[in-house]
Amino acid sequence: MTSIDPAEIAKFEAMAAEWWDPAGKFKPLHMMNPVRLDYIITQICAEFDRDRNGLRALKGLRILDIGCGGGLVSEPMARLGADVVGADAAEGNIAVAQVHADQQELAIDYRATTAESLRDDGETFDVVLALEIVEHVADPAAFIATCRDLVRPGGLVILSTINRTAKSFGAAIIGAEWIMRWLPRGTHDWQRFITPDELAQMSSGAGLAVADARGMVFNPITFGWKLSDRDLSVNYILTGRRET
């Protein structure tokens, strides 16, 4: 069994060479990344009683970045001392990520593989990150259950995705794909977007206790992102804890 959707993988294979171009097809992720990282690091440090401001705040933690793409999140995790495995089903993404990590002299274990294969191999982690991937897998509930299996008791699964609202259609598809042309048309399928309630139900059904959920809000005037406790209408991020 696999949650991989070959058509979705092909979309990102075609864009792999542009992962580290802040003005390229992944510009929205580059712009969002500081906010994502702030949330992720805060959640991990709070859970594992780490100094949020420490230079090696994540030392000793094993983190899986599933659907890692070119390594936009894997690299900051490694710089903070984590033992990072970056996994992606698109081999082109892994090739780009590995070259960039080597250039930065970062030791990251990049693998062209799936969450299911890692689980079947008996791999376990303190934290599993699945960012902007849930809306692209064939079976989101099964994928989240696999992420739960990959995290150790007491560990975290952090998921980010896009809400299924009229506003998200306007922002993620009409705005990002049709008008701004940051992404190729067809990158996203609005019908595959997942509401916060749906994601929370999938997480709970997989055996994760939902610990936190925040919106990530884009301001078109300042061209900046911020976290929000209230506005989860477009992009949002959720933390689940495996307690047993």
Side-chain angles (χ1 to χ4, degrees):
M1 294 292 292
T2 178
S3 60
I4 295 303
D5 183 328
E8 293 297 298
I9 296 301
K11 290 179 186 177
F12 291 93
E13 283 271 21
M15 298 186 286
E18 297 196 47
W19 271 106
W20 287 97
D21 179 0
K25 291 184 172 66
F26 294 103
K27 181 176 181 177
L29 289 184
H30 282 272
M31 295 170 64
M32 184 195 296
N33 216 32
V35 169
R36 290 196 305 184
L37 290 170
D38 179 57
Y39 178 88
I40 291 165
I41 295 166
T42 298
Q43 291 295 315
I44 295 173
C45 288
E47 182 66 29
F48 293 96
D49 194 23
R50 302 300 181 90
D51 178 3
R52 172 68 176 77
N53 298 313
L55 294 178
R56 305 284 285 176
L58 306 184
K59 184 176 181 180
L61 296 178
R62 191 168 194 240
I63 296 178
L64 170 64
D65 182 9
I66 189 73
C68 65
L72 300 187
V73 172
S74 292
E75 288 198 7
M77 298 294 102
R79 287 193 180 93
L80 287 171
D83 175 10
V84 179
V85 174
D88 202 298
E91 293 187 9
N93 289 345
I94 291 299
V96 170
Q98 189 64 69
V99 167
H100 197 271
D102 290 345
Q103 292 172 342
Q104 304 299 311
E105 299 183 348
L106 291 171
I108 299 173
D109 183 1
Y110 281 120
R111 308 183 197 179
T113 189
T114 65
E116 293 81 8
S117 293
L118 290 167
R119 177 200 59 200
D120 294 345
D121 289 341
E123 298 270 9
T124 59
F125 302 86
D126 298 296
V127 180
V128 173
L129 305 176
L131 311 175
E132 278 66 58
I133 181 176
V134 183
E135 69 271 23
H136 297 289
V137 302
D139 187 336
F143 173 75
I144 293 170
T146 300
C147 290
R148 182 266 183 192
D149 292 341
L150 284 164
V151 76
R152 298 163 183 160
L156 301 178
V157 175
I158 300 178
L159 308 153
S160 63
T161 188
I162 307 176
N163 198 350
R164 192 176 63 256
T165 61
K167 187 175 179 180
S168 72
F169 186 88
I173 296 178
I174 295 176
E177 295 184 19
W178 299 0
I179 297 175
M180 301 303 293
R181 298 184 182 180
W182 285 336
L183 296 167
R185 283 200 178 200
T187 297
H188 291 111
D189 180 345
W190 182 83
Q191 294 183 346
R192 298 179 75 154
F193 290 175
I194 300 169
T195 71
D197 285 345
E198 290 169 346
L199 190 64
Q201 290 172 4
M202 291 178 195
S203 298
S204 298
L208 295 169
V210 177
D212 188 80
R214 306 282 179 92
M216 294 184 289
V217 181
F218 177 67
N219 186 325
I221 297 175
T222 64
F223 253 56
W225 290 80
K226 67 177 183 179
L227 291 170
S228 172
D229 295 332
R230 298 181 179 180
D231 187 355
L232 281 70
S233 60
V234 183
N235 296 85
Y236 67 98
I237 190 164
L238 178 149
T239 298
R241 180 187 300 109
R242 177 176 178 178
E243 297 182 336
T244 59

